[in-house]
């Protein structure tokens, strides 16, 4: 009988944004409760503006939750939701953003162009890994129609994103407000760490990766570990990868953060 040999199988590139089922269910339940209150208020067209931080400044996680809830509200009946993509195009054309809607003149122009009769706004605070979002819906005259609060314990991916935000990173979220996935143009398989760790070890390493405007993998961290030597092999390999950058709804290249799964699998043969 010949000695056993092994063949490395690498199931590569899962550029994925896996959503925890419980998180999705909780967000959807909150969106449904918002929908009921919108209907009770008699509002026919609502715009979900970017949620901000406690100081009213742009907050990347706020944009993520605003875009997520806006998309879920679009599934409701009894009212319509202004496209965030179209609203952002309109605001950007005059050098403005959602946080400027608090200015009466900017709000009046948005109402004239997009037709909402209410604005859903929110503020996001993160403390010890828990995001608390206080939302309020106001009519275009500034009258409060209702308030609500949503609380979510951030998963490992969003926690890594929050750390990146705190460090000053700016990025977009794939799948939110029309942002596309980056495309892998050069993604070789990682080297199997021969002679290190267990030769029969197999499974997945999931990394949080910033795909930059020039298509490089940057600011990586391990979301799901397999073994330190396999984690290093995945990091070293993905650092060499190159991408066609993600695009926003207007076709402009944008940086994005997303999880990348690298799968190590060993198949044994008798020869």
């Amino acid at each position: 009988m010949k000695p056993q040999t092994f063949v490395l199988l690498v199931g590569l590139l899962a550029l994925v944004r896996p959503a925890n089922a419980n998180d999705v269910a909780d967000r959807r339940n909150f969106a449904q409760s918002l929908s009921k209150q919108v209907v009770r208020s008699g509002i026919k067209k609502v715009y979900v503006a970017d949620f901000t931080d406690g100081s009213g400044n742009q907050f990347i996680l706020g944009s993520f939750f605003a875009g997520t809830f806006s998309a879920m509200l679009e599934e409701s009946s009894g009212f319509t939701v202004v496209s965030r993509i179209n609203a952002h195009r309109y605001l950007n054309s005059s050098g403005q953003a959602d946080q400027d809607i608090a200015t009466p003149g900017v709000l009046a122009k948005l109402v004239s162009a997009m037709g909402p009769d209410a604005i859903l706004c929110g503020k996001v605070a993160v403390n010890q890994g828990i995001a608390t979002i206080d939302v309020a819906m106001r009519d275009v005259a500034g009258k409060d129609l209702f308030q609500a609060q949503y609380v979510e314990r951030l998963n490992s991916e969003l926690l890594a994103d929050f750390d990146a935000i705190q460090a000053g990173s700016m990025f977009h979220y794939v799948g939110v407000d029309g942002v596309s996935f980056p495309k892998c143009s050069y993604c070789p398989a990682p080297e199997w760490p021969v002679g290190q760790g267990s030769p029969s070890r197999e499974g997945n390493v999931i990394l949080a990766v910033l795909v930059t405007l020039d298509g490089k993998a940057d600011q990586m961290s391990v979301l799901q570990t397999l073994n330190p030597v396999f984690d290093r092999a995945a990091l070293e390999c993905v650092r060499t990868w190159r991408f066609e950058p993600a695009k926003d709804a207007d076709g402009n290249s944008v940086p994005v953060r997303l999880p990348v799964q690298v799968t190590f699998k060993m198949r044994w043969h008798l020869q």
Side-chain angles (χ1 to χ4, degrees), residues 31 35 46 48 67-77 79-85 177:
S35 174
V46 63
V48 183
T68 298
F69 289 131
S70 180
M72 290 179 173
L73 284 173
E74 288 177 5
E75 301 170 5
S76 304
S77 58
F79 61 93
T80 59
V81 179
V82 173
S83 164
R84 282 171 48 85
I85 293 172
D177 297 332

Side-chain angles (χ1 to χ4, degrees), residues 5 20 29 36 66 71 85 88 101-102 120 135 150 156-157 160 182 197-198 208 225 227 232 234 239 247 256 269:
T5 61
N20 180 285
N29 288 337
K36 292 177 182 177
I85 293 172
H88 288 169
I101 293 175
L120 185 71
V135 302
Y150 175 74
S156 60
E157 180 190 338
S198 170
T225 182
N227 175 289
R232 285 195 294 273
R239 191 171 289 113
K247 306 286 186 181
V256 294
H269 291 286

Side-chain angles (χ1 to χ4, degrees), residues 47-155:
Y47 176 56
V48 183
D50 282 347
F51 300 161
T52 64
D53 64 13
S55 301
N57 298 318
Q58 181 185 8
F59 188 35
I60 295 170
L61 279 182
S63 298
F64 166 75
F65 281 110
T68 298
F69 289 131
S70 180
M72 290 179 173
L73 284 173
E74 288 177 5
E75 301 170 5
S76 304
S77 58
F79 61 93
T80 59
V81 179
V82 173
S83 164
R84 282 171 48 85
I85 293 172
N86 291 340
H88 288 169
R89 283 174 180 158
Y90 174 77
L91 291 168
N92 291 339
S93 68
S94 55
Q96 293 161 332
D98 276 6
Q99 64 189 38
D100 299 313
I101 293 175
T103 304
V106 176
L107 176 60
K109 290 179 179 178
L110 179 70
V111 170
S112 177
M114 301 282 108
D117 47 358
I119 308 294
L120 185 71
C121 54
K123 291 188 177 182
V124 183
V126 178
N127 183 29
Q128 297 183 340
I130 297 175
T132 301
I133 305 174
D134 292 303
V135 302
M137 194 171 77
R138 301 183 179 95
D139 66 20
V140 295
K143 177 184 177 182
D144 277 350
L145 300 176
F146 65 80
Q147 297 181 357
Q149 186 178 84
Y150 175 74
V151 178
E152 178 175 311
R153 180 174 293 279
L154 301 180
N155 59 33

Side-chain angles (χ1 to χ4, degrees), residues 135 145-146 161 174 231 245 252 268:
V135 302
L145 300 176
F146 65 80
D161 291 345
V174 167
D231 296 347
N252 302 308
W268 291 85

